[in-house]
């Protein structure tokens, strides 16, 4: 049986990846992490979406230790999410080590359920400046996991070279644009759908949707062309 595990936050990107995976694999598992994040409602959103979409299993994993170690505006309520970069050149919403931990634990879970594919919605083309969303990082982690477990795990990143408008096109190509638009949570302030309209995540999401709606034919064509190369 062809199985996949999707790292699933209940946001736009991971939901789009999950929708696609459900058309490509016989059995799809979703894994969501509780790391004491600022926008904790995403866990409930992920639970609802996983049930609605019919995944084989949805595991919510307690990794609140990360909250103790990683200081970020996404792990501390008293640190406002900023549009400006911090002194280290990164957004203050960057959670150091988050994707290292997420990929490692999801890889172990994939090993246990016999899934050879691990899917994550990270993106280098239209991202927030996080170093752990880069293609080089994912490939390095993939190699480490496969070697460390002696297991032919493949980490897939369907969104890696898509911009946000093309990610909306991808959702639309699976007839899931309304689902993603109205029922996912991308907002750093925990508001479902269009969000608060002010945080960096909402800005990126809204600009991408507007671009897609205004140039749907061209954006869809660009997505379809990239899809054949991914």
């Amino acid at each position: 049986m062809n199985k996949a595990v999707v790292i699933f936050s209940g946001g736009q990107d991971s939901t789009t990846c999950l929708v696609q995976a459900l058309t490509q694999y016989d059995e799809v598992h979703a894994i969501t992490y509780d790391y004491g994040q600022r926008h904790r409602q995403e866990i409930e959103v992920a639970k609802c979406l996983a049930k609605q979409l019919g995944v084989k299993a949805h595991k919510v994993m307690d990794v609140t230790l990360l909250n103790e170690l990683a200081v970020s505006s996404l792990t501390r309520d008293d640190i406002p999410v900023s549009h400006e970069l911090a002194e280290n050149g990164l957004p203050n919403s960057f959670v150091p080590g988050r994707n290292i931990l997420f990929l490692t634990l999801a890889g172990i879970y994939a090993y246990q359920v016999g899934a050879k594919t691990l899917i994550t919605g990270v993106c280098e083309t239209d991202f927030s400046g996080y170093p752990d969303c880069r293609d080089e990082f994912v490939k390095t982690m993939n190699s480490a996991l496969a070697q460390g477990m002696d297991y032919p795990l493949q980490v897939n990143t369907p969104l890696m070279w898509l911009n946000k408008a093309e990610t909306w096109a991808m959702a639309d190509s699976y007839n899931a644009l309304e689902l993603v638009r109205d029922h996912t949570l991308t907002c750093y302030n925990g508001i479902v759908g269009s969000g608060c309209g002010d945080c960096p995540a909402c800005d990126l999401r809204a600009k991408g949707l507007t671009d897609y709606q205004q140039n749907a034919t061209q954006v869809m064509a660009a997505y379809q062309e990239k899809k054949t190369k991914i």
Side-chain angles (χ1 to χ4, degrees), residues 121-135:
V122 298
C123 168
E124 184 169 323
T125 303
D126 213 1
F127 71 143
S128 300
Y130 300 154
D132 59 359
C133 288
R134 295 176 298 186
D135 187 57

Side-chain angles (χ1 to χ4, degrees), residues 13-35:
D13 294 342
S14 64
T15 302
T16 301
C17 288
L18 180 58
V19 167
Q20 182 189 59
L22 287 165
T23 71
Q24 296 178 334
Y25 297 88
D26 301 315
E27 185 175 297
V28 176
H29 295 245
I31 183 167
T32 299
Y33 297 104
D34 178 355
Y35 61 97

Side-chain angles (χ1 to χ4, degrees), residues 34-109:
D34 178 355
Y35 61 97
Q37 55 266 57
R38 182 192 198 101
H39 43 299
R40 293 187 55 76
Q41 190 183 353
E42 73 176 21
I43 299 169
E44 296 306 315
V45 169
K47 288 179 180 178
C48 290
L49 286 169
K51 183 177 181 180
Q52 180 179 348
L53 291 169
V55 301
K56 172 68 176 178
H58 180 214
K59 185 173 187 62
V60 178
M61 183 170 289
D62 182 351
V63 291
T64 47
L65 174 64
L66 180 62
N67 187 286
E68 297 180 31
L69 296 173
V71 177
S72 160
S73 62
L74 297 193
T75 59
R76 299 292 185 273
D77 289 337
D78 60 347
I79 302 177
V81 178
S82 175
H83 289 266
E84 305 299 325
L85 298 180
E87 291 182 3
N88 61 3
L90 299 174
N92 79 342
S93 54
F94 173 60
V95 182
R98 180 173 60 175
N99 283 344
I100 297 173
L101 181 63
F102 286 6
L103 285 168
T104 299
L105 295 176
I108 297 169
Y109 180 71

Side-chain angles (χ1 to χ4, degrees), residues 187-226:
C187 175
Y188 288 155
N189 290 310
I191 300 174
V192 176
S194 57
C196 69
D198 180 59
C199 73
C202 285
D203 285 349
L204 192 59
R205 174 178 166 129
K207 288 175 182 175
L209 180 57
T210 298
D211 187 13
Y212 177 58
Q213 290 173 330
Q214 294 178 350
N215 306 282
T217 302
Q218 299 94 313
V219 175
M220 182 64 78
Y223 159 66
Q224 294 292 352
E225 182 178 355
K226 289 183 179 181

